[in-house]
Amino acid sequence: MKLMGRDIPARELLARIEERLRTRGLPTSEPADVPEEGVEPRVDPLSFYLQALEEHSDATRALPLHTHRGGAGQLVLVAKWAFRKTCQVFINEALSRQRVFNGHVRDSYAQLSAEVIRLRAEVESLRAAQAGTQAATPPSAEAPARPRRTAKQAKAPDEK
């Protein structure tokens, strides 16, 4: 697996998960098909971050409520839910500028990402063109550079 440029060995990861399941007494899954190369394609950071900005740009949209506590934790969840339902108008008002700002950031990032992609394509085409011209010009056809004469060398023949 390759996530954001870091290699994670898939077979080793699956073996560790299976071992942890066995030590806890849980049944292991049936054999999974792991690609022979063991590496998934690299995630494009530009599109990954753009999607994350798109997903989280609305600050007024609530995150899911959850708790790891039992009993009193459930009461806290109910209180949070009631607060959100009754105060959503005030939450929207308080975070409206943040939501607009996040939209501008998302749009700016999208434009910059498009520009980066365009510039990368242009650099690749220029490199390909440069490699093509260098391959077409044989090294023997290039004229050797003449050594430069210093001012002292230029005046020497006239002084005789």
Side-chain angles (χ1 to χ4, degrees), residues 64-131:
L65 294 172
H66 65 281
T67 184
H68 62 280
R69 297 177 181 91
Q74 297 300 321
L75 292 175
V76 171
L77 283 181
V78 170
K80 285 182 179 181
W81 177 83
F83 175 78
R84 284 184 181 178
K85 289 298 180 187
T86 57
C87 298
Q88 190 63 46
V89 173
F90 301 115
I91 293 170
N92 290 348
E93 182 65 28
L95 297 176
S96 62
R97 293 193 104 184
Q98 184 67 47
R99 187 176 38 123
V100 171
F101 175 79
N102 291 350
H104 289 306
V105 169
R106 178 196 60 226
D107 296 342
S108 299
Y109 188 85
Q111 289 176 346
L112 289 173
S113 297
E115 184 69 11
V116 166
I117 291 169
R118 185 189 69 76
L119 289 173
R120 283 181 181 171
E122 185 177 338
V123 166
E124 288 301 317
S125 66
L126 290 173
R127 284 182 180 163
Q130 184 182 16

Side-chain angles (χ1 to χ4, degrees), residues 2-159:
K2 202 167 199 179
L3 179 64
M4 300 306 297
R6 295 183 177 201
D7 288 336
I8 300 173
R11 290 188 189 282
E12 183 179 324
L13 181 64
L14 286 174
R16 282 184 175 177
I17 292 170
E18 293 282 336
E19 181 61 32
R20 290 181 79 179
L21 288 173
R22 275 192 294 275
T23 58
R24 292 185 176 153
L26 299 172
T28 58
S29 62
E30 54 197 46
D33 291 331
V34 179
E36 285 300 319
E37 62 275 356
V39 176
E40 292 180 358
R42 185 174 187 274
V43 175
D44 179 35
L46 297 176
S47 61
F48 175 80
Y49 288 125
L50 184 60
Q51 185 214 4
L53 283 172
E54 179 70 33
E55 178 70 24
H56 302 292
S57 66
D58 188 4
T60 61
R61 198 176 88 216
L63 294 173
L65 294 172
H66 65 281
T67 184
H68 62 280
R69 297 177 181 91
Q74 297 300 321
L75 292 175
V76 171
L77 283 181
V78 170
K80 285 182 179 181
W81 177 83
F83 175 78
R84 284 184 181 178
K85 289 298 180 187
T86 57
C87 298
Q88 190 63 46
V89 173
F90 301 115
I91 293 170
N92 290 348
E93 182 65 28
L95 297 176
S96 62
R97 293 193 104 184
Q98 184 67 47
R99 187 176 38 123
V100 171
F101 175 79
N102 291 350
H104 289 306
V105 169
R106 178 196 60 226
D107 296 342
S108 299
Y109 188 85
Q111 289 176 346
L112 289 173
S113 297
E115 184 69 11
V116 166
I117 291 169
R118 185 189 69 76
L119 289 173
R120 283 181 181 171
E122 185 177 338
V123 166
E124 288 301 317
S125 66
L126 290 173
R127 284 182 180 163
Q130 184 182 16
T133 58
Q134 286 179 353
T137 307
S140 62
E142 295 178 8
R146 289 188 341 186
R148 289 186 142 198
R149 293 174 54 180
T150 63
K152 191 175 185 180
Q153 290 172 338
K155 289 182 182 179
D158 295 338
E159 292 178 1

